[in-house]
């Protein structure tokens, strides 16, 4: 299946999940992540503010921030690359270019993600074997992931059924190390859940 059809199929499936079920799954995913020592020890976390039917990150961002992590969120630039700014509570966000909430803090530049100890990214699907994620097609997160150090944990948040055996990939598509879902965290290098 090509990327366009796979995106459409996943988005249709996500839209069919009742909101209460999506919320409950997002809470379990958040708790699974917050239990991980490598999440608890991360001083600077790059995350994203979820929108629509994505696994919700609002509670995760707030929890990381309340537990003392500095959380940076993306600010979409006109060239579709991601700038980064610090989240300093829910009152420090404003709608961005596509209506997605972004921090109003000073922009830290596209390279700010290089200093993150943990990177959490959105995905529609992830390939179980290669770790390559299927995004929305703009390439913003592939450019961001290219700036992340090799030993920094990278995590894609998915709904159940979105960790797939085969995700179409292009040469610029970059892998993530972990997938977080409501049923646990999967390490794509070791295969352990």
């Amino acid at each position: 299946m090509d990327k366009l059809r796979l995106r459409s199929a996943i988005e249709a499936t996500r839209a069919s999940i009742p909101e209460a079920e999506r919320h409950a799954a997002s809470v379990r995913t958040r708790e699974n992540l917050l239990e991980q020592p490598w999440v608890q020890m991360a001083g600077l976390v790059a995350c994203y503010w979820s929108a629509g039917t994505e696994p919700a990150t609002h509670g995760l961002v707030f929890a990381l921030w309340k537990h003392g992590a500095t959380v940076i969120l993306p600010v979409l630039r006109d060239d579709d690359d991601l700038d980064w700014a610090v989240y300093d509570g829910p009152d420090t966000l404003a709608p961005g270019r596509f209506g997605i909430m972004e921090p109003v803090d000073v922009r830290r530049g596209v390279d700010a993600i290089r200093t993150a100890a943990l990177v959490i990214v959105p995905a529609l699907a992830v390939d179980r074997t290669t770790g390559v994620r299927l995004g929305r097609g703009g390439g913003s997160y592939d450019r961001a992931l290219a700036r992340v150090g090799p030993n920094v944990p990278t995590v894609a948040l998915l709904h159940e059924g979105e960790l797939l055996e085969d995700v179409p990939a292009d040469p610029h598509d970059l892998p993530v190390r972990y997938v977080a879902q409501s049923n646990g965290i999967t390490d794509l290098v070791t295969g352990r859940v």
Side-chain angles (χ1 to χ4, degrees):
M1 184 179 292
D2 68 25
K3 286 184 176 184
L4 190 58
R5 285 192 302 211
L6 184 55
R7 282 187 189 104
S8 294
I10 291 169
E11 287 173 348
T13 300
R14 283 183 171 187
S16 72
I17 303 170
E19 186 175 339
E21 189 177 319
R22 277 198 315 265
H23 175 73
S26 293
V27 169
R28 289 191 305 273
T29 300
R30 176 185 74 215
E31 296 308 313
N32 288 334
L33 267 173
L34 293 174
E35 289 174 0
Q36 305 304 311
W38 45 270
V39 173
Q40 295 169 6
M41 293 185 302
L44 178 63
V45 179
C47 196
Y48 65 98
W49 195 259
S50 59
T53 60
E54 292 177 326
T57 62
H58 308 172
L60 174 62
V61 168
F62 187 77
L64 289 165
W65 176 67
K66 287 302 279 185
H67 286 102
T70 299
V71 181
I72 56 174
L73 298 176
V75 177
L76 186 63
R77 295 168 21 137
D78 289 339
D79 64 359
D80 290 337
D81 206 344
L82 299 177
D83 202 333
W84 298 89
V86 172
Y87 169 87
D88 198 19
D91 296 335
T92 63
L93 300 172
R97 208 167 94 200
F98 294 110
I100 297 171
M101 301 301 279
E102 299 175 342
V104 295
D105 191 37
V106 174
R107 305 299 183 250
R108 309 286 171 148
V110 296
D111 287 327
I113 195 171
R114 290 185 195 280
T115 61
L118 171 64
V119 176
I120 301 169
V121 297
L124 290 168
V126 172
D127 188 297
R128 180 182 301 279
T129 305
T130 65
V132 169
R133 55 176 282 286
L134 177 69
R136 297 205 178 267
S140 300
Y141 281 94
D142 287 312
R143 286 192 289 272
L145 285 169
R147 298 179 180 111
V148 176
N151 298 319
V152 174
T154 52
V155 184
L157 303 185
L158 297 177
H159 292 294
E160 298 303 319
E162 296 175 350
L163 181 57
L164 305 177
E165 296 303 324
D166 185 34
V167 171
D170 292 315
H172 66 269
D173 293 328
L174 294 174
V176 293
R177 167 78 187 257
Y178 298 96
V179 165
Q181 297 174 292
S182 62
N183 66 346
I185 310 292
T186 303
D187 183 332
L188 298 171
V189 172
T190 66
R192 286 192 302 247
V193 178

